[in-house]
Every structure is written in C-alpha cells, then in structure tokens.
C-alpha cells in the first residue's frame, strides 16, 4: 500500500471535528484511505450506492444512534442528501456528553454537490479535505515519468503494462460519460460529451473560449460552460483563474483550462506510451499541467493561486501566494536546460514576487540560479518546499 500524505491531516481533522468530508474523483483511493483510518479504531463502513447498505439507513436516526460510539464512514454520501439534517441533529446531541470529534467520515466524488448539501446542514461541524490522485512526493523519484504518463489513479499507475493502464483509463472515461455525468443532469449524448472533453484535452493549458467550443460542437456557449462546470465539480478539470492586480495593465480575464490528471489527458488523446507522448504536440502543455497540478496539491490550503498574462506579452505560468511564503512566481519547463521567457521577467517586474522559480523536469534535486533572481528547481524539490511552507 502506498502511504498517502493526507493521512495525518485526516486523522487530525477527525480529532478536531465531529464530521470530515473527504472529497476526490472516483477511483482515486478515498475508500482505501478511509478504511485505513477505520482499521485503527472502531468503525462501520456504508456504501450509499450499495442497496444493502442503503437498506440499513431506512431509519437513519435509529441506525446511526445505534453506532454512536463508532466512526461511521459514509461513501458517496451526496447520493443521499436527506442524511445531512439527521447528521446535524446527532452531532449536536452528541456534543452534550462531550462527543465532539470523529463521529462521521463522509466520502464524495462531486465536490460542489457535497459542499452545497453539507454546507446547508453541517456548517461549523464539518472539515473538508480533498484527496488528489497519487502525487510525486508519495512515490520514488524514479516513478515520476510513469506518473506523468499514466496519471495518479492507483489502478492506472500500478497496472502491469502501459496498454492495460490505458485500457483502465479509457474505461473510467466511459463510466463518467455514460453514468456519472448523466446522473448529475447531463442532457446531451455521451458522444458529444466525449468530443467536448477531447477538445478540452487538445486545449490543455490554453485560455477558455466557450464560444469557439460551442461552434465546433454545434451547441450553445451556456451548455459548454454548464458541462465544463460539471467536469470541474467532479474534480476532472481545473479552471486556473487569472491573477488580479491593480497595476493599470490590460490583463487576460479568461481562465486557463487543464485536465487535472495527466493520465486521463493522455487517454483522451490516445497516447499509450511515453514515446507517443514525446512525439505529440501536446507534450509541453501536458508537462505544464502535470507540474501545476502537482504544485497546487502541495500548496497550503490557504494559498491563493492563478496565472498572469497581460496584453503586452508578460506572462507567469503559476502564481502562488501564502502568508508564510509571500508571492511566488513559477515558470514551468520540461527541459533541464531551458531559460525563463522574456515575458516572465516582464511579469515579475510588474508584480515584484518574493520568490522566482523555474521548475524543470530533471532529477537533480539541487537548485541553482539562472539569473535575475530566478532559481531552477525540480518539480519534486519545489513541491517539498510548498509542503513544508519554506522557500
């Protein structure tokens, strides 16, 4: 079993809050992590999608009261929204005898839906954590290339061959298109949804132009936005917001879009091997998306993140700001011999970040200067700094 970095954070949250919501895409390892936590204490696990488990919750108050001394793990809880008022009542009742932590662990694969449902009933009673796919710091350095190609879903990364890994990811994509998205209100054919998702993959790291996508698919722009929001809610796509500043510059206002898991990106584009990836025009943007997703997952929860692009060509791939680290400007390059673009230096003159980094795809963890206050560093090295909160 691969140790997940979120484990210690999850255990602390369970000690501090009566309910913890663990969010993450399907098959990312939420159930495995939850069962690992449950094995260390008295716990009961219920899968809301399993009829026999739903039957146990015919009278949820009676069942949960019967298990009030145990950690109750509720998987895919967003499919049973009527539970949340009951959970609130039981949490408040348990506070009187001092039962303040570790009552419920709620697992969900649709962040927006679960946040809305739980926020209405469990405000102040629940902590939210997101479990991403496997990350660079959870694996040996030698596994980074495989992680980039196959992505971080455990079944994909640990498959016995690239072909089996690709088949697993293609099946996962089909499951989302034919089951998950329709269950959240998708009303257009699965084939149209596949075309949209594939187009978004070809636009990896580009600015969102919903009207152009709508024209290509012969649907309206509102529909494109709605289904992109669904993919974002299911933690499959990321919309990286533009950085706002009061510099009087004309700045790009559209978000940049990324398929969050690089393995799903490569499956959508039909790239089965590392050699095929290196020969494809998306290779640079694929690495950029892989690096940005890794860094965002390593950054503290309170971090403010975005990208910067002005009309005069000034551009920064990723900006991360935290109270302890200040503002960090990050340029992403796959090559170990690359230099920052002129636009990066221009953008740094505009924003005056405290730290300037060039993230490259090498394996030598020793950082080195590349001029004008910019430090070249590996993806793993900068991820460690963000996790530790020291630049």
């Amino acid at each position: 079993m691969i140790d997940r970095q979120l484990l210690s954070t999850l255990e602390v949250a369970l000690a501090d809050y009566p309910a913890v919501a663990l969010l993450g895409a399907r098959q990312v390892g939420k159930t495995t992590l939850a069962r690992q936590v449950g094995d260390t204490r008295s716990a009961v696990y219920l899968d809301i999608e399993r009829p026999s488990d739903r039957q146990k919750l015919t009278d949820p108050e009676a069942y949960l009261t019967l298990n009030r001394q145990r950690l109750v793990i509720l998987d895919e809880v967003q499919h049973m929204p009527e539970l949340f008022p009951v959970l609130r009542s039981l949490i408040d009742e348990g506070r009187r005898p001092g039962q303040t932590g570790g009552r419920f662990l709620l697992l969900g694969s649709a962040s927006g839906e679960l946040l809305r449902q739980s926020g209405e009933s469990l405000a102040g009673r629940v902590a939210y954590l997101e479990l991403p796919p496997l990350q660079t710091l959870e694996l040996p350095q030698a596994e980074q290339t495989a992680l980039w190609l196959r992505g971080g879903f455990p079944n994909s990364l640990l498959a016995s061959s690239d072909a089996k890994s690709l088949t697993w990811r293609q099946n996962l994509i089909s499951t989302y298109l034919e089951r998950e998205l329709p269950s959240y209100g998708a009303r257009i054919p699965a084939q149209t949804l596949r075309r949209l998702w594939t187009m978004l993959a070809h636009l990896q790291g580009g600015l969102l132009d919903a009207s152009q996508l709508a024209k290509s698919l012969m649907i309206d722009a509102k529909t494109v936005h709605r289904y992109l929001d669904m993919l974002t809610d299911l933690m499959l796509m990321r919309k990286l917001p533009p950085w706002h500043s009061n510099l009087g510059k004309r700045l790009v206002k559209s978000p940049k879009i990324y398929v969050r898991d690089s393995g799903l990106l490569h499956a959508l584009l039909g790239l089965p091997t590392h050699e095929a990836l290196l020969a494809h025009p998306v290779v640079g943007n694929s690495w950029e998306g892989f690096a940005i997703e890794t860094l965002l997952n390593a950054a503290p929860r309170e971090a403010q993140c975005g990208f910067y692009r002005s009309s005069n060509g000034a551009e920064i791939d990723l900006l991360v700001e935290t109270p302890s680290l200040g503002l960090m400007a990050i340029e992403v390059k796959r090559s170990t011999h690359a230099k920052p673009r002129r636009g990066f230096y221009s953008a740094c003159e505009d924003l005056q970040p405290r730290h300037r980094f060039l993230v490259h795809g090498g394996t030598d963890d020793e950082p080195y200067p590349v001029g004008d206050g910019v430090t070249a560093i590996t993806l793993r090295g900068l991820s460690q700094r963000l996790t530790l909160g020291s630049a």
Side-chain angles (χ1 to χ4, degrees):
M1 180 180 292
I2 299 172
D3 293 330
R4 302 306 304 265
Q5 285 188 303
L6 194 65
L7 176 59
S8 59
T9 304
L10 175 56
E11 290 176 332
V12 170
L14 283 169
D16 292 341
Y17 288 85
V20 176
L22 182 60
L23 310 173
R26 281 190 176 273
Q27 300 295 317
V28 82
K30 300 187 300 297
T31 302
T32 301
L33 182 60
R35 287 187 178 276
Q36 185 178 354
V37 170
D39 288 343
T40 64
R41 62 189 77 192
S42 177
V44 58
Y45 171 85
L46 298 176
D47 184 350
I48 302 302
E49 293 186 325
R50 184 186 301 161
S52 59
D53 284 352
R54 287 185 73 100
Q55 184 66 28
K56 294 177 182 178
L57 294 170
T58 301
D59 185 348
E61 184 174 357
Y63 181 86
L64 296 174
T65 300
L66 183 66
N67 290 280
R68 60 181 175 272
Q69 300 300 325
R70 307 175 72 183
L71 171 66
V72 179
I73 302 170
L74 298 169
D75 205 343
E76 296 299 335
V77 69
Q78 73 272 5
H79 293 304
M80 203 169 179
E82 62 271 22
L83 276 179
F84 290 97
V86 178
L87 298 179
R88 183 202 61 187
S89 176
L90 293 175
I91 287 171
D92 291 347
E93 182 180 321
R95 282 175 169 170
R96 298 190 190 100
Q99 199 174 8
T100 58
R103 296 285 307 278
F104 303 105
L105 177 53
L106 314 175
L107 312 184
S109 57
S111 61
E113 187 69 12
L114 183 54
L115 289 171
R116 181 186 63 78
Q117 294 171 354
S118 61
E120 292 172 355
S121 300
L122 300 181
R125 304 170 180 86
V126 60
Y128 298 97
L129 301 175
E130 182 180 336
L131 181 68
L134 290 167
Q135 299 294 296
T136 294
L137 294 181
E138 296 172 325
L139 300 164
Q141 174 73 275
E143 297 293 323
Q144 181 169 280
T145 298
L147 180 63
W148 175 31
L149 172 67
R150 297 184 177 189
F153 288 90
N155 288 338
S156 173
L157 180 63
L158 302 176
S160 58
S161 68
D162 286 344
K164 290 183 178 180
S165 171
L166 180 63
T167 298
W168 185 90
R169 282 174 276 139
Q170 290 172 334
N171 288 333
L172 181 64
I173 289 169
S174 295
T175 298
Y176 270 108
L177 293 173
E178 296 166 10
R179 176 188 168 189
E180 290 298 309
L181 285 164
S183 74
Y184 287 100
R187 294 292 180 264
I188 61 177
Q191 190 60 36
T192 304
L193 283 170
R194 182 182 290 274
R195 288 178 58 205
L196 171 59
W197 203 356
T198 303
M199 287 180 181
L200 292 170
H202 281 283
L203 295 173
Q204 179 83 342
L207 297 175
L208 174 61
D209 186 346
S211 60
Q212 184 59 45
L213 288 168
K215 183 178 180 181
S216 300
L217 291 167
M218 293 183 290
I219 57 178
D220 61 77
K222 289 183 179 179
T223 301
V224 170
H225 281 294
R226 183 165 69 252
Y227 291 121
L228 178 55
D229 287 342
M230 284 186 184
L231 291 168
T232 303
D233 184 40
L234 291 167
M235 290 162 281
L236 300 170
M237 297 292 303
R238 182 182 294 277
K239 292 189 285 187
L240 186 66
W243 192 262
H244 298 291
S245 64
N246 298 318
L247 300 173
K249 304 278 185 178
R250 292 182 58 191
L251 303 180
V252 166
K253 297 181 180 180
S254 297
K256 291 171 72 173
I257 52 175
Y258 295 93
V259 178
R260 291 185 60 169
D261 182 74
S262 58
L264 290 185
L265 170 71
H266 301 150
L268 288 164
L269 298 176
L271 302 175
T273 65
H274 189 235
E275 289 72 21
L277 171 59
L278 295 179
H280 196 278
V282 82
V283 61
N285 288 341
S286 170
W287 171 259
E288 177 185 312
F290 173 70
I292 287 176
E293 190 66 24
T294 300
L295 296 172
L296 291 179
N297 287 321
R301 292 184 65 188
E302 69 273 13
Q304 299 295 314
C305 304
F307 74 97
Y308 181 88
R309 184 182 294 181
S310 69
S311 59
N312 64 0
E315 182 175 1
I316 295 174
D317 291 332
L318 179 64
L319 288 159
V320 179
E321 184 173 33
T322 70
S324 61
L325 297 173
L327 182 61
M328 304 172 64
I330 302 167
E331 175 94 341
V332 178
K333 296 289 186 183
R334 188 172 61 87
S335 171
T336 57
H337 305 294
K339 301 292 183 181
R341 295 165 294 183
R342 181 179 300 176
F344 177 78
Y345 292 113
S346 299
C348 287
E349 290 178 6
D350 293 341
L351 297 176
Q352 295 298 310
R354 184 187 300 179
H355 307 284
R356 307 177 184 188
F357 290 104
L358 172 66
V359 173
H360 60 79
T363 57
D364 185 354
D365 283 335
E366 184 176 356
Y368 57 91
V370 292
D372 292 329
V374 180
T375 299
I377 191 171
T378 62
L379 177 58
R380 188 181 189 87
L382 187 53
S383 297
Q384 288 173 332
R385 294 192 183 199
L386 283 169
T387 300
L388 296 173
S390 60

